């Protein structure tokens, strides 16, 4: 929705968010770091014939941790792939930076599973999915390149178990919209 507001205002999605977050330094720090590391504003390399490429951004605060992600996608007809995720996290002092990175990577993978596949259907009052053969999750071959950047801080540590998850679906949806102009509002994300 923030991207739709930015588009209606004729503003760049990152610049629009920066203006909204001017009194929130932790949010600005992750947004600026993710945008810088993702080279926001620089054109994406061209795709193959018939492909469209897009970049999207989202920022979320959960468990007192702020996360921004910039996602790059490639769209081929009604199919798309998530190629790269640049994640910036402000979790106070990173007691163990390797664990912070691992938690962000895991949260991104978990969130991508929901964004791409997380459909539960009911038939005659019972859930139809029973295991991984009919409820797919993200496979290693589908996993994007993930770059995690930690905002330096001396503040008390905050959560890193889940905060990488809720930001990925909106960032992917914004990247798809940037590539195709189509806004997706339901999970799992499907191009019409």
């Amino acid at each position: 929705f923030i991207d739709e507001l930015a588009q209606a205002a004729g503003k760049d999605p990152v610049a629009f968010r920066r203006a909204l977050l001017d009194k929130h330094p932790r949010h600005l720090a992750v947004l600026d770091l993710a945008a810088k590391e993702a080279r926001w504003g620089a054109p994406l390399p061209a795709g193959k014939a018939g492909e469209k490429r897009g970049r999207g951004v989202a920022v979320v605060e959960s468990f007192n941790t702020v996360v921004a992600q910039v996602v790059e996608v490639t769209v081929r007809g009604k199919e798309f792939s998530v190629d790269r995720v640049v994640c910036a996290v402000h979790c106070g002092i990173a007691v163990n930076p390797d664990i912070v990175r691992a938690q962000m990577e895991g949260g991104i993978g978990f969130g991508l599973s929901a964004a791409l596949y997380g459909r539960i259907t009911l038939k005659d009052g019972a859930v139809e999915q029973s295991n991984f053969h009919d409820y797919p999750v993200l496979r290693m071959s589908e996993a994007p390149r993930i770059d995690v950047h930690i905002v330096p801080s001396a503040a008390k540590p905050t959560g890193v178990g889940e905060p990488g998850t809720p930001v990925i679906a909106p960032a992917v949806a914004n990247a798809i919209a940037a590539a195709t102009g189509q806004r997706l509002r339901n999970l799992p994300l499907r191009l019409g």
Side-chain angles (χ1 to χ4, degrees), residues 19-40:
L20 293 173
L21 297 171
D22 69 340
K23 293 180 175 63
H24 301 276
R26 294 175 71 221
H27 295 73
L28 279 175
V30 295
L31 178 61
D32 288 345
L33 182 57
K36 175 183 156 245
E37 294 297 334
R39 300 188 64 231
W40 186 269

Side-chain angles (χ1 to χ4, degrees), residues 47-136:
K48 297 176 185 171
E51 292 181 340
K52 297 176 184 175
R53 308 250 3 257
R55 189 181 278 133
V57 62
V59 180
V60 171
E61 179 178 353
S62 62
F63 299 89
N64 298 315
T65 293
V66 185
V67 177
Q69 293 174 6
V70 175
V71 171
E72 296 173 8
V73 299
T74 301
V75 179
R76 297 165 205 83
K78 291 187 177 185
E79 301 296 320
F80 66 91
S81 62
V82 178
D83 305 318
R84 182 178 181 214
V85 179
V86 176
C87 174
V89 55
H90 193 310
C91 58
I93 190 167
V95 175
N96 187 328
D98 288 338
I99 289 178
V100 173
R101 285 185 192 90
Q103 288 294 317
M104 292 300 109
E105 291 168 357
I108 289 165
F110 183 73
L112 276 175
S113 288
L116 302 178
Y117 304 115
R119 177 170 294 187
I120 299 289
T121 57
L122 301 172
K123 183 176 181 183
D124 300 323
V127 172
E128 292 183 293
Q129 292 73 25
S130 64
N131 210 325
F132 294 123
H133 71 284
D134 56 7
Y135 185 81

